[in-house]
Amino acid sequence: MKAFEWEQPRDWGEAISMLDPRDLTVRVMAGGTALMLMMKSGVFQPTRLISLQGLGQEAGAIVQEAQGGIRIGALCSLTALGQSSAVATTAPVIIRTLKTLSNVRVRNVATLGGHLAHADPHMDLPPVMMALGATVKTVGARSSRTLTMSELYRGYYETALEPDELICEIVIPSQVGRSAVYLKCSTRAADDWPTLGVAVNVKCDGDVIEKARIVVSAATEKPIELVAAQTLLEGHSISPSRLNDCAELALAQAPLVSDARGTASYKKELLRVYLKRAIQIALKGTIS
Ligand SMILES: Cc1cc2nc3c(=O)[nH]c(=O)nc-3n(C[C@H](O)[C@H](O)[C@H](O)COP(=O)(O)OP(=O)(O)OC[C@H]3O[C@@H](n4cnc5c(N)ncnc54)[C@H](O)[C@@H]3O)c2cc1C
């Protein structure tokens, strides 16, 4: 590994000022779990790393809002996220997802901001956050903005973040009356990278599904909201035929790709089974 410079800013403004938008070998490092793998394999050779670890506790704080949502600082570790009572109350799907996300050593240092910014399509939390309707707040040299998760992800390891823009906060809206589920299918150990990830979030009035969000990931180049499939559910109660039609619409809409974890046709069969299963589980567990 070649030598590189190391900076430790004290706030977001200082971190932004240390970036060089013309030089992509200058990067921020949060937990470093993804970055170090890329550096060790030679995929990424930095000239300067800007550690976000000196930003202070507030940059990783979890705040419960009066309206029922939560704001999570980008430097929040995945372990702290998984141990948060605010997260457990507002969005228990995150707690369940974290149980099979990698291992405790990675979760102790990996941060939510780094997790979302890395944009590896196999990651578990991006589809969950998309299904929850989460947004990310960014700080940049010129301005700050709010992006939905669909706006954040552009493609394979590609986000809409400018080279001098960082994620500072993740906002999850109130989930009252909603029920969310994330199912991942891994072809190896349960805590391995998924072959397919499916996240479903429903809001019901009695038997009728008022709002539905369906997101597929891992089998696609980025997490994708399957809008046609979710529209088919809205305004109706579920029946076996509607569930089948929804799955077929999802299969038609999802641009599934082949990779080392399986062919696109194999993933198509997985999506058919896992999507129906996720919808049925979500419908059983509406949070009151
Ligand atoms: C052994 C192993 C197993 C894993 N298994 C899984 C798994 O099963 N499921 C899963 O979902 N994930 C898995 N992961 C991935 C893990 O979740 C990510 O590596 C981790 O979440 C990245 O967070 P980090 O803070 O370490 O990011 P870093 O490595 O610090 O950064 C990652 C990227 O994001 C950028 N970045 C960091 N913070 C910000 C910010 N605030 N704003 C903008 N850009 C930023 C960095 O410049 C870098 O490009 C695994 C990782 C390892 C090492």
Side-chain angles (χ1 to χ4, degrees), residues 27-28 30-35 102 110-111 114-115 117 123-124 167 191 193:
R27 285 255 197 122
V28 293
T33 57
L35 218 47
S102 186
T111 66
H115 186 90
M123 281 175 160
D124 292 303
I167 297 174
D191 59 357
W193 297 91

Side-chain angles (χ1 to χ4, degrees), residues 116-228:
L116 299 182
H118 192 52
D120 179 334
H122 298 97
M123 281 175 160
D124 292 303
L125 287 176
V128 173
M129 292 293 175
M130 197 178 276
L132 292 172
T135 52
V136 295
K137 288 197 168 176
T138 71
V139 279
R142 287 167 299 281
S143 60
S144 310
R145 56 181 178 154
T146 298
L147 297 169
T148 64
M149 300 302 291
S150 295
E151 288 166 341
L152 176 66
Y153 292 113
R154 286 258 172 91
Y156 192 68
Y157 284 90
E158 192 190 343
T159 68
L161 294 174
E162 298 291 340
D164 55 358
E165 185 178 25
L166 299 172
I167 297 174
C168 60
E169 196 174 69
I170 296 87
V171 180
I172 299 174
S174 166
Q175 299 294 316
V176 171
R178 292 179 177 269
S179 163
V181 171
Y182 173 67
L183 296 182
K184 81 172 177 180
C185 174
S186 162
T187 45
R188 298 177 205 156
D191 59 357
D192 200 358
W193 297 91
T195 305
L196 170 80
V198 178
V200 170
N201 189 3
V202 290
K203 182 168 195 249
C204 295
D205 182 6
D207 283 352
V208 176
I209 301 171
E210 281 186 338
K211 291 276 173 215
R213 268 214 194 88
I214 298 173
V215 180
V216 62
S217 66
T220 47
E221 293 199 341
K222 61 174 186 169
I224 294 177
E225 201 174 330
L226 300 175
V227 178

Side-chain angles (χ1 to χ4, degrees), residues 40-98:
K40 279 188 189 167
S41 62
V43 174
F44 176 61
Q45 175 62 61
T47 54
R48 191 186 332 149
L49 284 184
I50 301 159
S51 168
L52 299 178
Q53 291 299 333
L55 260 53
Q57 283 192 343
E58 208 177 297
I62 300 176
V63 178
Q64 178 88 64
E65 296 197 295
Q67 300 90 335
I70 35 176
R71 292 189 286 116
I72 306 163
L75 268 290
C76 180
S77 74
L78 299 188
T79 293
L81 193 66
Q83 290 174 348
S84 160
S85 54
V87 174
T89 311
T90 307
V93 63
I94 294 177
I95 310 286
R96 293 193 296 268
T97 301
L98 283 166

